Amino acid sequence: MIAYLNGQFLPLAEAKISVLDRGFVFGDGIYELVPVYSRKPFRLDEHLRRLQGSLDGIRLANPHGVAEWRERILKLIERQDFADQSVYIQVTRGTPAEGQPPRDHAFPQGVPPTVFMFAQPLVTATAGQKAAGVCAVTAPDNRWQRCNIKAISLLPNILLRQQAVDAGCAETVMLRDGFLSEGAASNIFVVKDGVLLAPPPSNLILTGITYDLVLELAAAHGMPHEVRAISEAEVRSAAELWMTSSTKEIMAIVKLDGVPVGAGVPGPLAQRMDALYQTFKHQVMRA
Ligand SMILES: Cc1ncc(COP(=O)(O)O)c(C=O)c1O
């Protein structure tokens, strides 16, 4: 696997940074994850826009313009020997220079950010998961109040997601103050009375690129939908529950905390949205 580090392409195992990098010491950085199908990045402009939003959120200047990012990402994609990829992009606040305090919370001045990217084979939902759906557990959302920043400091998400893994499930659905926020690594949609419900974008969720596309497709194809706060009771009495993300796409959650969701199988709207999503993806990839 070929990685990219601060302007250079090199084998992943040879990519090295200082132990004083702010990403390592403080988790002071942000990231993006772009799915790539047949060597074509999917919704790259949207990912780069969100990357800019995350950089703005942590007050770190973007080291590259959109065209520069695009060029570097396409080169990284070309250099892999597999076609379907998941490209990971990370930008940290860099390494303090000689003479600067090696570890100080305050931003170091005049230090270039560290830019690291690598690609790994894309692991999407399996056919079995798509057909049967997956189970999820719930947990209180105990993360910070700036979940709209795609920060590399993911410890709360890791601990939350592990609760699902420990229960033999795919995802942890988070609830904050009695309302649905999102999954530990996904957005969550609810279907109720034939209407697709999505929690509104805010500082309490990461607005997924997949989330946006699902709502775009719902609007374009006349699927009734509403963006509004969703109560815990509505989550627990949902006819359908979905998790969405760039790698898992649309996956039906068929059991929540051990209780079947709706009929306990992927519902008709999930199947319809998955079909719309696959059609859209193939159209974009052919273009
Ligand atoms: C916390 C969180 N919310 C939502 C998402 C979904 O975002 P996207 O659809 O852009 O992959 C992710 C993806 O990793 C995530 O980590």
Side-chain angles (χ1 to χ4, degrees):
M1 280 182 222
I2 300 298
Y4 170 96
L5 183 62
N6 298 330
Q8 290 197 317
F9 292 94
L10 70 179
L12 181 58
E14 288 171 24
K16 302 272 192 308
I17 56 156
S18 163
V19 288
L20 293 178
D21 188 276
R22 305 265 306 186
F24 184 63
V25 174
F26 288 119
D28 184 0
I30 57 93
Y31 75 105
E32 268 302 318
L33 200 142
V34 185
V36 174
Y37 304 99
S38 308
R39 297 188 189 277
K40 288 191 181 172
F42 188 57
R43 301 228 124 188
L44 182 55
D45 290 346
E46 287 81 354
H47 281 279
L48 291 176
R49 215 172 294 137
R50 188 171 65 183
L51 179 93
Q52 181 67 58
S54 295
L55 287 170
D56 292 344
I58 69 162
R59 298 170 56 191
L60 182 58
N62 195 335
H64 304 302
V66 170
E68 257 174 35
W69 274 115
R70 186 172 264 286
E71 189 198 327
R72 282 153 210 244
I73 292 165
L74 293 177
K75 278 191 181 151
L76 181 74
I77 292 170
E78 264 169 36
R79 281 165 165 74
Q80 312 304 324
D81 56 13
F82 42 93
D84 291 341
Q85 307 172 11
S86 134
V87 168
Y88 177 81
I89 305 167
Q90 173 171 316
V91 186
T92 77
R93 210 179 303 276
T95 304
E98 290 259 322
Q100 293 183 335
R103 184 182 179 280
D104 181 1
H105 287 58
F107 298 170
Q109 297 303 310
V111 163
T114 301
V115 180
F116 169 58
M117 301 196 277
F118 78 105
Q120 55 185 339
L122 181 64
V123 180
T124 53
T126 63
Q129 284 176 321
K130 280 252 159 115
V134 295
C135 68
V137 296
T138 58
D141 191 341
N142 56 12
R143 299 172 303 161
W144 68 336
Q145 302 271 337
R146 302 187 67 194
C147 301
N148 52 326
I149 298 172
K150 205 164 166 64
I152 58 169
S153 34
L154 281 172
L155 199 44
N157 302 61
I158 289 167
L159 293 172
L160 285 157
R161 175 81 209 296
Q162 190 59 34
Q163 292 184 28
V165 174
D166 292 346
C169 286
E171 185 56 301
T172 299
V173 174
M174 295 184 280
L175 300 157
R176 199 192 284 258
D177 300 330
F179 289 90
L180 170 66
S181 52
E182 60 182 336
S186 63
N187 289 112
I188 305 290
F189 288 82
V190 168
V191 175
K192 208 163 171 53
D193 302 324
V195 180
L196 177 63
L197 304 177
S202 77
N203 59 314
L204 299 181
I205 68 168
L206 180 80
T207 309
I209 305 303
T210 320
Y211 166 105
D212 280 341
L213 182 52
V214 162
L215 289 177
E216 256 177 64
L217 290 171
H221 295 274
M223 187 183 280
H225 61 283
E226 241 180 273
V227 176
R228 64 159 170 86
I230 301 165
S231 71
E232 176 171 352
E234 288 178 306
V235 173
R236 295 202 184 275
S237 61
E240 297 184 29
L241 209 54
W242 314 345
M243 57 182 279
T244 69
S245 78
S246 290
T247 53
K248 300 297 176 237
E249 302 181 337
I250 293 121
M251 262 212 308
I253 295 171
V254 295
K255 213 180 239 190
L256 187 66
D257 291 335
V259 178
V261 176
V265 291
L269 262 62
Q271 288 173 353
R272 179 154 177 245
M273 183 52 73
D274 185 49
L276 292 172
Y277 191 91
Q278 298 309 327
T279 304
F280 178 87
K281 197 170 87 182
H282 288 116
Q283 276 167 359
V284 171
M285 292 301 115
R286 265 200 307 271

